Amino acid sequence: MTQAYSDSKEKIAKSAGRISGATIVSRILGLGRDSLFAALFGTSYMGDAFNIAFLIPNFFRRVFGEGALNASYVPVYTHYLHQYGESEAVRFARKIFSVLVLILGVLVALGIIYAAPIVRTYAFGWRDNPEIYKLTIKLTRILFPYIFFVSLAALGAGTLNSRGYFGIPALAPAMLNVALITTSVALLKIYDHLNETMVVIFSIGALIGGLLQIAIQIPHLVKTGHGIGFDPDFRDPGVRWVGKLMLPGLLTFAVTQVNTFVDTLLATTLPEGSVTALRLGNRIAVQPLGIFGAAITTAVLPTLSRHAAKKDTDKLLSDFVFSTRLILALILPSMVLLLLLARPIVRLLFERGAFTASRSTPMTSSALIFYAFGLFAYGGSRSVIQAFYSMKDTLTPMKVAVVTVCTNVALDLILIRPLGLRGLALATSISGAVGLSLLVSWLRVKLGRVDGRQIWETVSKVMLASATMGIVIVLVSRLTEPFAVNLWGKLFQVLSCSLLALLTYLGLALALRIKEIIFLVEIALKRVLKR
């Protein structure tokens, strides 16, 4: 292994590997869940109603759960752990847990009471359709307590990540998929025609999945000394510190979610099924971000926070550059694969039951293509944002988020007329690129430098390898198209294209000496040889 990479980088890569492994399991289950959802509801109004109803608690989950809270909580918890010891860190975590329980309890109660005006705001385009409007309100009331469970699960995950446990927290989201897959299979066996009772039961399954995300983490939390206790104290210095850091973070994530809100609101003005098509297309597009981007940034935040606490700017910058190069070396080829295999992937995953080849597949695959264009921007942004958070700077990402959202809304309004739902997806991708450029510029001002030459060296090689890989994908896809007439043929086409793409990219990465890929290969070989 090259000496340029320190032990901290190897630790980051190994932690990211564990997270990626667990995330892959969760994402595979998630695709299975989405496939069953598509078979059950297709692009019907019931599917749209569930997607809107589930989107609303997910909005608050991203803000109060793994969003602003964890971005503020993990650096402060790490500070307590390394400055004051384990007992003080546990005491601090208990107070944050208690305060969060109170806030979430009030939020859930308000959400259930005011479900109607919330839905009216989100689903403006359905104001003249009382059938779908009433169903969405009903589902929203069922699903709102999901915020409570999943936000506490996110707090537990942040605590375990800070203590070096990455596998179980990364596996926790899979519990939602397990619950929904079980529910879907039961529904397919019980009902032989689509009805609203099915989507109500499906929503209850989602609620159970949220509860299971907490349950799977409890043994490890107890093992690290974090037993269940209730000790709310809004005046505690640690709690107030998190609150102070969290305020800009709350605005950042809330503003960012405006993108989703505006996309959804405008999608309700498009033909039936547009909300579901956008959601499913986005679900596929963000898979690389979840498997690679989130895994690497989750693994690197505690390390960057330690460097920031020690005021070691050189190590912080070094590990930031490494994580950014690693993300881009994995995200860019994934982006090319999704762009070129959008229709075969959608066809394989969803084309059955109520999800039709003539209407549902073209809608969803076009959304996927235009979302995929922005993968590099959102992957890079995640890395840069973690650098700001590690330095306890939550204000700069908030400013960038405001600009990004304004750009997205303006582009939505411009592009929806000529491109329809494709315009909404493209606006998200373009605004992501604007956000990334601003984040990098301000990080350079804050640190004095960001070693952009190293990043561009990796990007240029990755782009060359990815372009060549793309040619292979196109050729293999055309050769295997005649076989894609049934499920096994569709699976053969996607797997053969993906496998040959992987081998092509890996071979070219080694030939071009892309350091990050070589580093990952060396770590993998060491683990294999140890066995």
Side-chain angles (χ1 to χ4, degrees):
M1 186 180 299
T2 55
Q3 292 298 318
Y5 291 98
S6 66
D7 291 340
S8 68
K9 294 179 177 61
E10 184 169 350
K11 183 178 180 181
I12 291 168
K14 287 181 176 179
S15 298
R18 287 192 290 272
I19 297 170
S20 291
T23 303
I24 288 171
V25 172
S26 179
R27 296 290 168 147
I28 291 173
L29 290 171
L31 290 174
R33 176 195 86 187
D34 288 339
S35 180
L36 288 167
F37 178 88
L40 283 167
F41 306 111
T43 47
S44 67
Y45 80 88
M46 283 171 271
D48 281 353
F50 174 82
N51 283 321
I52 290 289
F54 201 39
L55 181 69
I56 294 168
N58 268 312
F59 168 86
F60 290 103
R61 170 184 64 83
R62 293 188 182 103
V63 172
F64 288 99
E66 67 253 29
L69 176 62
N70 262 6
S72 307
Y73 169 72
V74 170
V76 176
Y77 181 89
T78 303
H79 175 84
Y80 268 81
L81 188 63
H82 290 276
Q83 295 294 326
Y84 306 119
E86 183 175 326
S87 61
E88 279 299 300
V90 170
R91 182 198 63 79
F92 161 69
R94 185 180 299 114
K95 290 185 180 297
I96 288 290
F97 167 81
S98 304
V99 168
L100 187 61
V101 165
L102 294 177
I103 293 173
L104 291 172
V106 172
L107 181 64
V108 169
L110 292 174
I112 292 172
I113 294 169
Y114 295 104
I118 293 173
V119 170
R120 192 179 303 119
T121 303
Y122 262 83
F124 176 78
W126 294 344
R127 61 192 183 280
D128 297 324
N129 191 334
E131 185 179 31
I132 187 172
Y133 178 68
K134 290 179 181 177
L135 177 61
T136 306
I137 293 172
K138 182 178 182 179
L139 298 182
T140 300
R141 288 186 170 132
I142 293 171
L143 287 166
F144 228 92
Y146 178 79
I147 305 168
F148 184 87
F149 299 131
V150 79
S151 296
L152 292 180
L155 181 69
T159 302
L160 291 175
N161 288 341
S162 300
R163 300 296 292 270
Y165 292 88
F166 293 97
I168 291 296
L171 195 60
M175 295 300 100
L176 171 65
N177 298 326
V178 169
L180 288 179
I181 287 172
T182 304
T183 304
S184 298
V185 171
L187 289 172
L188 286 169
K189 289 186 176 182
I190 295 171
Y191 294 95
D192 57 2
H193 65 279
L194 186 58
N195 61 75
E196 292 188 0
T197 302
M198 294 171 65
V199 76
V200 170
I201 296 172
F202 191 84
S203 300
I204 294 171
L207 205 58
I208 294 171
L211 179 60
L212 292 176
Q213 290 184 61
I214 301 176
I216 194 175
Q217 296 185 73
I218 289 176
H220 282 76
L221 287 168
V222 172
K223 182 179 178 181
T224 55
H226 295 83
I228 296 176
F230 194 70
D231 184 21
D233 185 357
F234 287 88
R235 294 176 296 178
D236 179 79
V239 172
R240 296 179 69 177
W241 192 5
V242 170
K244 182 179 178 181
L245 292 174
M246 192 176 172
L247 184 58
L250 273 174
L251 295 174
T252 300
F253 282 91
V255 166
T256 302
Q257 293 310 305
V258 171
N259 281 346
T260 304
F261 166 73
V262 173
D263 285 354
T264 303
L265 187 149
L266 293 175
T268 62
T269 67
L270 296 173
E272 181 181 316
S274 295
V275 172
T276 297
L278 276 173
R279 174 186 167 274
L280 292 177
N282 182 262
R283 283 276 298 168
I284 300 172
V286 300
Q287 295 304 314
L289 290 177
I291 295 171
F292 303 125
I296 294 168
T297 54
T298 299
V300 79
L301 180 58
T303 301
L304 295 181
S305 298
R306 284 195 295 271
H307 295 329
K310 297 175 182 177
K311 302 187 185 304
D312 195 336
T313 305
D314 289 338
K315 285 186 178 180
L316 188 151
L317 181 62
S318 177
D319 284 342
F320 157 72
V321 170
F322 168 73
S323 65
T324 303
R325 293 169 67 174
L326 187 58
I327 287 173
L328 293 175
L330 297 171
I331 290 290
L332 285 172
S334 302
M335 182 181 80
V336 172
L337 187 142
L338 289 177
L339 286 171
L340 298 177
L341 287 181
R343 191 179 185 89
I345 290 172
V346 170
R347 192 166 55 184
L348 169 65
L349 292 176
F350 307 128
E351 201 175 274
R352 60 188 61 85
F355 195 95
T356 60
S358 60
R359 185 172 183 274
S360 303
T361 295
M363 289 174 68
T364 305
S365 58
S366 62
L368 168 57
I369 288 170
F370 285 92
Y371 274 128
F373 278 117
L375 277 180
F376 78 95
Y378 285 98
S381 294
R382 286 194 175 197
S383 180
V384 182
I385 287 172
Q386 295 298 70
F388 282 111
Y389 286 160
S390 70
M391 294 180 283
K392 303 180 183 66
D393 178 0
T394 54
L395 187 61
T396 300
M398 183 199 73
K399 295 176 182 177
V400 173
V402 171
V403 176
T404 301
V405 167
C406 291
T407 304
N408 183 75
V409 172
L411 290 172
D412 274 343
L413 297 173
I414 293 169
L415 297 175
I416 188 172
R417 184 177 294 274
L419 295 175
L421 65 84
R422 295 171 298 172
L424 300 180
L426 181 59
T428 300
S429 296
I430 295 173
S431 61
V434 171
L436 174 61
S437 63
L438 290 174
L439 284 167
V440 171
S441 298
W442 280 342
L443 185 65
R444 183 180 288 113
V445 171
K446 193 174 186 71
L447 293 178
R449 67 188 195 281
V450 292
D451 289 347
R453 184 177 297 178
Q454 288 188 49
I455 296 173
W456 278 112
E457 177 188 346
T458 295
V459 168
S460 61
K461 292 180 180 180
V462 169
M463 290 176 66
L464 177 60
S466 298
T468 307
M469 181 193 77
I471 296 172
V472 172
I473 291 173
V474 172
L475 293 175
V476 177
S477 179
R478 290 179 179 177
L479 288 172
T480 55
E481 181 63 27
F483 299 99
V485 293
N486 54 39
L487 178 61
W488 293 109
K490 295 170 186 175
L491 180 63
F492 172 72
Q493 182 184 38
V494 172
L495 287 181
S496 58
C497 289
S498 301
L499 180 59
L500 289 173
L502 173 63
L503 293 174
T504 301
Y505 180 71
L506 187 59
L508 288 170
L510 296 175
L512 293 170
R513 304 295 298 170
I514 299 176
K515 294 179 181 179
E516 293 69 31
I517 301 300
I518 295 173
F519 184 61
L520 293 178
V521 170
E522 289 177 346
I523 290 176
L525 288 174
K526 281 176 65 176
R527 294 192 66 176
V528 170
L529 292 174
K530 281 182 179 180
R531 294 178 183 176

